[in-house]
mmCIF file of all heavy atoms in Angstrom:
data_model
loop_
_atom_site.group_PDB
_atom_site.id
_atom_site.type_symbol
_atom_site.label_atom_id
_atom_site.label_comp_id
_atom_site.label_asym_id
_atom_site.label_seq_id
_atom_site.Cartn_x
_atom_site.Cartn_y
_atom_site.Cartn_z
ATOM 1 N N GLY A 139 -12.312 80.678 -127.666
ATOM 2 C CA GLY A 139 -11.143 81.385 -128.136
ATOM 3 C C GLY A 139 -10.381 80.586 -129.177
ATOM 4 O O GLY A 139 -10.666 79.452 -129.458
ATOM 5 N N LYS A 156 -14.031 72.502 -111.170
ATOM 6 C CA LYS A 156 -13.611 72.141 -109.820
ATOM 7 C C LYS A 156 -14.100 73.055 -108.780
ATOM 8 O O LYS A 156 -13.946 72.802 -107.555
ATOM 9 C CB LYS A 156 -12.063 72.126 -109.761
ATOM 10 C CG LYS A 156 -11.416 71.101 -110.627
ATOM 11 C CD LYS A 156 -9.901 71.026 -110.409
ATOM 12 C CE LYS A 156 -9.197 72.231 -111.035
ATOM 13 N NZ LYS A 156 -7.735 72.077 -110.996
ATOM 14 N N SER A 164 -22.626 77.918 -114.744
ATOM 15 C CA SER A 164 -21.398 77.481 -115.443
ATOM 16 C C SER A 164 -21.527 77.782 -116.941
ATOM 17 O O SER A 164 -22.631 77.893 -117.428
ATOM 18 C CB SER A 164 -21.150 76.026 -115.203
ATOM 19 O OG SER A 164 -20.998 75.747 -113.854
#
Side-chain angles (χ1 to χ4, degrees):
K156 295 186 287 187
S164 298

